[in-house]
Amino acid sequence: MAADNNDRLDSDLTGARLDTLAVRAGQYRTMETEHGEPIFTTSSYVFRSAADAAARFSGEEPGNVYSRYTNPTVRTLEERMAALEGAEQAVAMASGMAAILGVCMAFLEAGDHVVVSRSVFGTTTTIFSRYLKRFGVETTFVDLTDMAGWQAAVTEGTAMLFVETPSNPLSEVADLKQLASLAQAKGALLVVDNTFCTPILQRPLELGADIVVYSATKYLDGQGRCMGGLVLGRSEQMKEMVAYLRAAGPTLSPFNAWVILKGLETLRLRMLAHCDTAYQLALWLQDQPKVARVYYSGLSEHPQHALASEQQSGFGGVVSFEVKGGKEEAWRFIDATRMISITANLGDTKTTITHPATTTHGRLSQEERDRAGIRDSLIRVAAGLESLEDLKADLARGLAAV
Ligand SMILES: *Cc1c(COP(=O)(O)O)cnc(C)c1O
């Protein structure tokens, strides 16, 4: 609640630009006049009277009732993220998966059909192919870049197109404008997982998407500290999300909301640095004789370089490459590094290295991996914020071991 003694305590953000919104949007100072955003560690709220309680429970009067569905710190994160995304409303969730499942629960029902890009985050595939299937929602998986495939997969019953672009780990890019017109023509929702780009590099709502989802665990926090998720879109749809959150309870903790909120303040600076380091590493890797191929959409050789240049304002922090050889050479490379973290996570200040074929994509069959282009010689690096020269030196140790 805003302090009532002095309006000047709150910033006037009329017409404010992205960098200003990133550090100020969504904050309403309390009567304590704090400068930083407080963490409201409370599960419930008190009412002034029995009548006040009744009015707030029924929704007649605005205000907090219970932290499962509203909390001031979480709301600050939601408002700030909505401001950065240019969305009418944001709803925070406990994790990226909670956000993705939440969108499905809020907008799909038995008998619906969904079309999903095949290269989505592995656990997202599990949500659609195992859990939603049990509740009568059928999914068709299509190649991210194959527009004819998307068109052919859509049926009368298609209620949602779900896409994650750019893909992990090969940075393939889907054409969001074309997917938005396909969705619109069929009366389906276009849902975009924008975790890899963030609103700094890609703005799906402006390209015609209906809903954007995030794993805030990655770049939004950006410092590897906590889990979180977000769903953004029009207020009318977000009402459904809040109703789902209230009923099902995948609530983001106020502490995690505060951590992510602080992450947003440096998001643009960090994304630019991640992109720059990843691009420099991609160029350097391309010149190494033991590297067979580099996958980075910022390279002119990348099959969707032109589309990525048009649709994104940066190419992201993830670079993948194949070493000459197979699994053994890739593992030797990874084990010979001495600084970069061997972990499948990304979107951290610390650079990470992983072998997709035996970790993130390890549960796929050989045939599925071949189809997805995940070779045994493929290594993924998610650029952090360390010195470029130190990163090159560490990767050079890997190369020497191949
Ligand atoms: C990590 C990730 C998710 C899942 O998010 P969690 O916060 O781990 O639940 C979903 N989509 C993408 C693209 C991710 O990278």
Side-chain angles (χ1 to χ4, degrees), residues 2-12:
D4 51 13
N5 58 338
N6 187 345
D7 293 334
R8 181 61 186 86
L9 286 182
D10 291 331
S11 303
D12 179 355

Side-chain angles (χ1 to χ4, degrees), residues 39-325:
I39 306 175
F40 286 87
T41 54
T42 183
S43 48
S44 65
Y45 304 86
V46 293
F47 308 106
R48 286 180 178 79
S49 64
D52 180 32
R56 278 207 246 164
F57 261 86
S58 70
E60 241 169 82
E61 285 289 331
N64 299 306
V65 172
Y66 194 49
S67 278
R68 190 189 319 118
Y69 44 102
T70 68
N71 175 281
T73 311
V74 177
R75 189 189 315 124
T76 298
L77 168 66
E78 291 170 336
E79 288 193 16
R80 191 166 295 181
M81 189 62 191
L84 294 186
E85 192 78 39
E88 285 179 14
Q89 197 180 332
V91 180
M93 296 277 173
S95 68
M97 290 324 303
I100 291 168
L101 178 64
V103 167
C104 294
M105 295 299 281
F107 299 107
L108 296 175
E109 59 187 32
D112 280 345
H113 172 248
V114 183
V115 187
V116 178
S117 56
R118 190 172 283 121
S119 52
V120 286
F121 187 67
T123 318
T124 305
T125 307
T126 309
I127 292 276
F128 285 104
S129 60
R130 185 195 292 195
Y131 292 102
L132 289 184
K133 194 179 163 74
R134 280 194 201 161
F135 293 91
V137 174
E138 285 300 323
T139 302
T140 305
F141 291 95
V142 298
D143 284 345
L144 182 76
T145 58
D146 175 14
M147 225 21 243
W150 284 95
Q151 271 154 355
V154 169
T155 67
E156 282 307 306
T158 303
M160 182 188 288
L161 309 186
F162 186 101
V163 63
E164 179 187 321
T165 180
S167 74
N168 174 23
L170 301 180
S171 302
E172 291 177 309
V173 181
D175 189 324
L176 289 178
K177 267 192 204 157
Q178 284 194 26
L179 287 178
S181 38
L182 176 63
Q184 205 176 13
K186 300 289 176 180
L189 289 174
L190 175 61
V191 180
V192 178
D193 183 335
N194 202 33
T195 298
F196 273 56
C197 276
T198 81
I200 305 303
L201 304 182
Q202 178 166 267
R203 311 191 57 81
L205 298 177
E206 288 164 17
L207 298 170
D210 297 287
I211 293 174
V212 178
V213 296
Y214 286 100
S215 168
T217 315
K218 312 293 167 50
Y219 292 103
L220 301 185
D221 165 29
Q223 289 148 83
R225 301 170 293 190
C226 70
M227 308 290 300
L230 281 142
V231 181
L232 299 103
R234 293 188 288 277
S235 299
E236 156 207 344
Q237 295 161 333
M238 292 307 108
K239 251 187 234 152
E240 293 294 328
M241 288 308 309
V242 174
Y244 166 77
L245 177 69
R246 183 171 180 154
T251 307
L252 182 67
S253 91
F255 178 76
N256 287 8
W258 182 86
V259 170
I260 297 162
L261 178 64
K262 289 284 135 186
L264 293 185
E265 298 185 358
T266 55
L267 180 63
R268 196 179 69 86
L269 301 175
R270 288 185 287 105
M271 289 314 289
L272 296 184
H274 287 299
C275 288
D276 189 48
T277 299
Y279 179 58
Q280 296 299 333
L281 289 178
L283 290 177
W284 181 81
L285 284 162
Q286 239 184 349
D287 282 343
Q288 305 306 315
K290 288 179 183 167
V291 171
R293 184 167 172 189
V294 180
Y295 297 86
Y296 187 68
S297 66
L299 298 175
S300 54
E301 296 82 354
H302 190 280
Q304 283 97 43
H305 176 64
L307 176 59
S309 308
E310 191 192 313
Q311 185 166 287
Q312 302 169 206
S313 61
F315 301 105
V318 176
V319 189
S320 296
F321 56 97
E322 286 162 10
V323 288
K324 289 185 180 157

Side-chain angles (χ1 to χ4, degrees), residues 340-371:
I340 297 174
S341 315
I342 305 177
T343 165
N345 197 25
L346 60 101
D348 199 318
T349 52
K350 297 177 177 74
T351 298
T352 65
I353 190 165
T354 189
H355 184 240
T358 51
T359 59
T360 51
H361 295 68
R363 285 200 216 153
L364 300 185
S365 66
Q366 183 68 45
E367 193 199 333
E368 287 171 316
R369 270 200 300 279
D370 289 346
R371 182 163 189 182

